[in-house]
Amino acid sequence: MDLPNLTLILRGALSPNPKERLAAEESLNQFQYTPQHLVRLLQIIVDVNCDLAVRQVASIHFKNFIAKNWLPQEPGNQQKISVADKTMVRQNLPAFVAQVPPLLRVQLGECMKTIVHADYPEQWPTLLPWVKHNLQAQQVYGPLYVLRILSRKYEFKTDEERIPVHLIIEETFPALLNIFTRLVQFVNPPLEVADLLKLICKIFWSSIYLEIPKQLFDPNIFNAWMLLFLNILERPVPLEGQPTDPEQRKSWGWWKVKKWAVHIMNRLYTRFGDLKLLKPENKAFAQMFQKHYAGKILECHLKLLNVIRQGGYLPERVINLILQYLSSSISKNSMYQLLQPQLDVLLFEIIFPLMCFNDTDDKLWHEDPHEYIRKGYDIIEDLYSPRTAAMDFVSELVRKRGKDNLEKFLLFIVQVFQRYNEAAEGYRPYRQKDGALLAVGALCDKLKQTEPYRSDLERMLVQHVFPEFRSPVGHLRAKAAWVAGQYANINFSDENNFRNALHSVVSGLRDPELPVRVDSVFALRSFVEACKDLNEIRQILPQLLDEFFKLMNEVENEDLVFTLETIVDKFGEEMAPYALGLCQNLAAAFWKCMQSAEADEDADESGALAAVGCLRAISTILESVSRLPDLFPQVEPILLPIMKRMLTTDGQDVFEEVLEIVSYMTFFSPTISLEMWSLWPLMMEALHDWAIDFFENILVPLDNFISRGTGHFLTCKDPDYQQSLWMTISSVMSNKNIDDQDIEPAPKLIEVVFQNCKGQVDQWVEPYLRITIERLQRTHRAYLKCLLMEVVANALYYNAALTLGILHKLGVAMEVFSLWFQMLQQVKKSGSPVNFKREHDKKVCCLGLTSLLALPPGHLPDESIGRIFRATLDLLVAYKDQVAAASKEDEEDGDDDMDGFRTEDDEDDGSDGEMGDDAEDGDVADSLRLQKLVSQSLLACLVCSHFSTQSYEAFSASDPVKFQSLMQSLDFQYQARASGIAQHAEQRRVEIEKEKLEKANGS
């Protein structure tokens, strides 16, 4: 397509007529792969005579096409851009970047990033020479812009990946230093100079982020750079041209330069400020940096901070970075000595005012309370906040230099309190009181540990904090709630003080000011955790929950949900009357969070975190009422829409939390409804398409479906769950691109089928064994080998004769049994087994081996029987000893006979434990495994020793002569073991019969 026609189509893409726009977009898509298409787009983008809107459409199409097609999406795919077009783009793009307006430069810059990351240096060796050559020209914006992209590619690279950056620095830094020197010498520099200086700072930042380039180890060269950065720090920002709008002002070019200079100084100090953390080769450089520059940087930073003391302007991010530098300096004697003479001024005239409520806070509080709350609870905001940096400075000061400063600072805070109390109502220093309360809250950990302050905390709270619950000023009521929460766990000598504070916090949930209500919720969690007499909360629980749900309708805040979780956790089954209402409200809040996130993709993550919190709270509620199964059918209609929607790609961000809810619903409900079964295909589809990383989580509900809905699993043909399971397992286990670790849940699922469907899935034994043997023959991961071998053991337990026949048919019987016995015999130097470490592993192996012993005569060669018998005895003894050791240590994580699903990394102690016991905040499987232990205790106790004894007896009865011969061939050690196991089995049988009888009489 020629230029005029392409321009016409691009203009059509701007048409207000939807049909014309659609036709233009279809034409662009139709011709996008034709030769020269990219080149013509680039010509339009740089054509100054062309309409800017058309050029912008061309630049966006150009950027998107390059992002999608410059590199093939999959290795081996055909290139969609010709070599000639790529060469033309690479030859012209660097020069064009500087020529186009900023609106278009953004798009071309993204293209540069894509191509640099894909092609440099191998496919684009001419780029660095181009940069080096053009840095000598008068107009250097273009090469600086490109050099910034080049340097950023290697910002986080280490070792071999970082090698190309050495040549980049060697070729460009001398010219870069000359440009830097020339720009700094401007007397009245225009704003364009700031743009160039900012690029140089960013290039330097990316180049030194992980390690100092060897060229900078030359003291003269490093000194030249440092003098220029110190010059930027010291010289005042031009007053002329500064925007008046606060948002525009902090983004103004000269303030950006200042910020990047501070950033670089902080990075150097972080890397070279502590000799103990350095590699030996860097120590000499670090000593030079500390001796000649660290103190100078500190002095520059203090001078900069003095600007705000005098009422001047300093961007929040710059303040934050400077305070980070000062905080890092506190622990170093030489730096602290420089800081000490100015410490009082810094602490009381700069740091403390930053901690106080200010005009910006007041404006947000009244005009946008939701944004005030978001900023107050946003972790990312904290990273850039001057107030947070000020709090961190004070905390670090009293932690590292408390002897000199804690008493002095607290005396200052007390004076603020006194001035506040002495002033007339309406004329009190409310904002200073807010800052003082913030300081007291921030120092809570130190004050709780340090006498004489620890003994005086209750009096301080009663005199200076609790009265502010009734303050006419909203932000003080909020701060009082927050501080009270920080100290809720101290030992109150007068329980009435705790009780009054608790009721004040609860009253705060009904405050007319939204931020007060949110801070009260945050504080309430601490009071609930610290409360010794739950009656204090129990009597107001219904009203409390009402206020929670009103607040959840107003604001999306994860701390709100965390507090609710804490209450549910504390009251357990007492929450049953409220469970339905809680789930309804949490489900409604979840949908609201999801709608907000979908409506505004660029919104912060607080809504998404709140959505996750809602699902976690629902799980907590379900766990708390787990012993009340009749409640589960009532909450199912409320939760089913969430489960259905979020088990698709829409729920990737909350997939783990939703699977936890599905696990509870399928385990604790009296029966699994047909509506719940409709979730099976969704999980299978997700697992097949994108959710392999969640296979271990999906395993839990699939186990529940099969083990608790066995009849439906076996009889339903639309959908065919057995076929569906086979398709998934075979697809995963035969996929060579899936790591062994990700496959581990597959053999666990096969085990669930064989153990729960005994005698009813004969047709699946051969396919499952075939796919298991194929994977076993190529796996290297020891734990997966054990799991795959346990599939064979489970198949033998399912039907030994059938399994043995299939193994012979596949021609692998000898290979499989040889490997199995080899694995059983492998031990570490300590004598502990290398394989089959868990109680569960040993049980499954026992079940398989003893099933062989129960076969009629003729199925096994005589020489094999003795080997099987001895291996079984060894396993039974090891199992019995392991159970006894676990019982002795009171480790009730116990022997889950069905699952015992744990990862290889969890095996150290050998006990089964609960699945996922290392997961954050506890996994749903923790509870499910324990429940399964209780519900299946009979099988857990009998499964090995009793079953083995039955096999033992069957063997002796079926062929007494051979049995007698076998027993006589055993040495004394094995005869003793056989006798001991038999006695133990009989003892356990009697105990279990007694327990069953007692239970029957009790019911």
Side-chain angles (χ1 to χ4, degrees), residues 9 74 113 135 167 199 224 268 326 461 482 504 509 526 620 622 739 808 831 941 946:
I9 290 173
E74 297 291 338
K113 286 181 196 173
L135 285 175
L167 182 61
L199 280 173
L268 288 169
L326 299 185
L461 291 169
W482 177 76
S504 295
L509 297 178
S526 301
T620 303
L622 295 178
D739 292 339
H808 282 297
C941 294
H946 187 55

Side-chain angles (χ1 to χ4, degrees), residues 148 151 197-207 260:
R148 163 63 176 150
S151 62
L197 286 171
K198 182 175 70 173
L199 280 173
I200 292 172
C201 287
K202 287 183 172 183
I203 293 164
F204 191 89
W205 164 268
S206 293
S207 301
W260 277 102

Side-chain angles (χ1 to χ4, degrees), residues 5 9 31 72 124 166 231 238 252 263 327 379 480-481 619 644 691 699 714 779 814 866 905 914 952:
N5 281 324
I9 290 173
F31 294 106
W124 204 352
H166 302 316
N231 181 292
W252 192 49
H263 228 339
S327 295
I379 297 170
S619 289
K644 280 188 173 181
L699 169 64
L714 291 170
T779 189
M814 185 68 70
D905 298 330
E914 306 100 76
Y952 176 101

Side-chain angles (χ1 to χ4, degrees), residues 33 276 381 641 771 971:
Y33 297 118
K276 294 179 227 173
E381 288 283 345
I771 199 74
D971 60 26

Side-chain angles (χ1 to χ4, degrees), residues 629-751:
D630 291 340
L631 280 175
F632 284 80
Q634 297 176 45
V635 300
E636 184 181 302
I638 300 165
L639 302 180
L640 197 61
I642 293 177
M643 292 186 280
K644 280 188 173 181
R645 168 87 182 275
M646 295 301 138
L647 286 174
T648 68
T649 51
D650 290 348
Q652 290 187 34
D653 292 339
V654 295
F655 200 65
E656 197 168 338
E657 288 75 19
V658 172
L659 286 171
E660 190 168 310
I661 292 172
V662 177
S663 299
Y664 280 124
M665 294 300 297
T666 51
F667 191 83
F668 294 117
S669 291
T671 57
I672 299 176
S673 69
L674 291 178
E675 289 77 13
M676 286 298 298
W677 274 98
S678 69
L679 303 179
W680 175 290
L682 298 177
M683 290 187 288
M684 287 302 185
E685 185 178 345
L687 189 56
H688 182 268
D689 292 345
W690 56 271
I692 189 67
D693 290 341
F694 297 95
F695 198 176
E696 197 74 40
N697 306 85
I698 295 173
L699 169 64
V700 181
L702 291 183
D703 178 348
N704 295 338
F705 275 116
I706 297 167
S707 60
R708 300 196 65 246
T710 309
H712 190 67
F713 171 75
L714 291 170
T715 58
C716 184
K717 296 302 176 187
D718 188 16
D720 190 331
Y721 297 110
Q722 296 179 60
Q723 182 68 28
S724 163
L725 186 67
W726 160 251
M727 294 298 291
T728 299
I729 290 177
S730 61
S731 171
V732 169
M733 288 180 65
S734 62
N735 192 331
K736 296 179 181 178
N737 295 321
I738 300 179
D739 292 339
D740 282 355
Q741 188 167 355
D742 293 329
I743 283 173
E744 287 167 7
K748 296 174 183 179
L749 267 177
I750 300 173
E751 173 177 292

